[in-house]
């Protein structure tokens, strides 16, 4: 395996190793969403780690991306369900799949997000599995496979499926044509066997995953958990040294590939004029000029430790009242999966806590927390990083966490401090962040205090090392390692 990959060497690899192959990415979430705004169709990049990582790759490699369409103007923007993106520089094609309400409820809200999501994240939210959701999950996975097959029939193709929503797509594709090369990257943690064994459909799910030619996880620990699950549940031969699993005569390579971001792309874009402009208007909009700024950026999800973060800010001001009117914590993030009760409750809890903490500590015109549920486009995200002195990532459990890596990539001047949960995959690489246990309130608030009072030399030293790590382990290394590992007959 080559140690360093960049855009050029990957294009070269694809051309040499896979000349004549079509490349298809598949995910539940769409990379670009069309909405009507002021009577016009507006196209923006979607949220989430899958998009952050794969959009730059697809813009370079081209090809087809198959995903669900959920924007109110997706149907209008697409002809025969297809549209070229991004709108300002079309580089690859999107094919939308339209799901019914029933399919959405059973497959996305039900089996994927009430079942597999809490099962895979150890955050003490009880997973719920019900058989009718599983039936719909399978039906939607099959629908994906059929829609992909329509596009690739008779062509040599690599199909790169993303995540837990689509575990069975590879199996359905192989049933249609065993020559299709299928890969899956599981973007969330894989639980320990003690946890995994409660899943009623565990054997069928594992067999589905074992039909992929390559199966990727963020870190070795998740691969080991997966090996333990298959060795307990399915008849397999495991070659741990080469990380191969043989099931019913088919071999899957199972490896850890720590996902990352487009370091250089983010670094360059962060210096652009419009990003500076957005940063200035953010500061103006919220009157932030006189404060040290602490930021958080997440989908509103119970795995992200948002409540813990807010409590840490409360505790910080309790212990250091001298910080009043000196700091502001600003949290941005999109509402997520709001039709599920757990998410509704989380949103209510967040509202209540923000209200309480602000009421308790506010003085004059100042309040410690600004909480906004707002979609930020890519440039606005970079502007948000730009205004920050400190970025807090306090996930209770997270496969990787790309906010941490994006923040680092955007800090060209080596300023800024990352406070990072030790329960993120990213913490295994980003040792120069201030690592915290988000369940330990005082530890979190102390880490934020340390960040606020850290001397410039140490801050820069830490950020330089963090940047070196992300620079060397960027998204091109991730995709390069995967492509170079693709088994070929
Ligand atoms: O990064 C992990 C992930 O589950 C992605 O698969 C997903 O797109 C993202 O988080 C956001 O979740 P959702 O698509 O449900 O909003």
């Amino acid at each position: 395996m080559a140690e360093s990959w960049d855009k050029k060497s990957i294009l070269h690899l694809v051309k040499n190793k896979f000349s004549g192959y079509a490349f298809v990415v598949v995910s539940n979430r769409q990379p670009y969403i069309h909405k009507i705004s002021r009577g016009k169709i507006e196209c923006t990049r979607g949220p989430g780690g899958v998009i952050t990582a794969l959009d730059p790759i697809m813009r370079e490699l081209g090809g087809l991306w198959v995903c669900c369409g959920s924007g109110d103007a997706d149907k209008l923007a697409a002809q025969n369900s297809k549209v070229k993106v991004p709108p300002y520089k079309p580089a690859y094609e999107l094919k939308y799949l339209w799901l019914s309400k029933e399919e959405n409820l059973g497959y996305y809200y039900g089996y994927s997000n009430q079942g597999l999501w809490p099962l895979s994240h150890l955050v003490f939210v009880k997973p719920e599995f019900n058989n009718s959701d599983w039936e719909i999950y399978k039906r939607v996975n099959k629908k994906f496979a059929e829609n992909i097959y329509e596009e690739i029939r008779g062509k040599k193709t690599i199909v790169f499926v993303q995540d837990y929503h689509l575990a069975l797509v590879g199996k359905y594709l192989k049933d249609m044509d065993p020559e299709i090369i299928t890969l899956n990257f599981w973007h969330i943690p894989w639980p320990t066997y003690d946890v995994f064994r409660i899943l009623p459909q565990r054997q069928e799910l594992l067999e589905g995953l074992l039909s992929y030619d390559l199966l990727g996880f963020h870190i070795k620990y998740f691969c080991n958990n997966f090996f333990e699950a298959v060795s307990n549940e399915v008849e397999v031969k495991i070659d741990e040294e080469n990380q191969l699993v043989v099931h019913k005569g088919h071999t899957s390579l199972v490896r850890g590939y720590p996902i990352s971001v487009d370091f250089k792309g983010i670094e360059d874009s962060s210096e652009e004029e419009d990003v500076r402009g957005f940063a200035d208007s953010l500061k103006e909009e919220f009157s932030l000029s006189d404060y040290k700024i602490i930021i958080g950026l997440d989908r509103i999800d119970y795995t992200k430790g948002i409540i813990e973060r807010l409590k840490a800010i409360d505790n910080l001001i309790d212990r250091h009242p001298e910080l009043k009117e000196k700091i502001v914590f600003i949290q941005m993030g999109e509402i997520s999966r709001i039709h599920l009760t757990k998410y509704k409750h989380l949103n209510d809890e967040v509202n209540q806590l923000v209200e309480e903490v602000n009421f308790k500590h506010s003085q004059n015109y100042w309040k410690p927390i600004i909480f906004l549920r707002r979609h930020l486009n890519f440039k606005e995200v970079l502007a948000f990083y730009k205004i920050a002195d400190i970025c807090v990532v306090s996930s209770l459990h997270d496969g990787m966490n790309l906010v941490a890596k994006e923040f680092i990539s955007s800090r060209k001047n080596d300023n800024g401090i990352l406070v990072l949960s030790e329960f993120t995959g990213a913490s295994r690489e980003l040792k120069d962040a201030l690592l915290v246990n988000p369940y330990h309130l005082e530890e979190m608030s102390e880490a934020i205090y340390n960040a606020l009072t850290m001397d410039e030399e140490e801050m820069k030293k830490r950020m330089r090392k963090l940047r070196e790590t992300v620079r060397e382990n960027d998204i091109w290394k991730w995709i390069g390692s995967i492509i170079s590992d693709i088994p070929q007959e």
Side-chain angles (χ1 to χ4, degrees), residues 29 48-50 108 113 117 163-165 187-188 299 336-337:
R29 172 74 55 196
V50 173
Y108 174 76
N113 287 319
W117 179 267
D163 235 343
Y164 60 101
H165 314 87
H187 287 261
I188 59 177
R299 271 183 316 108
S336 186
R337 306 173 191 171

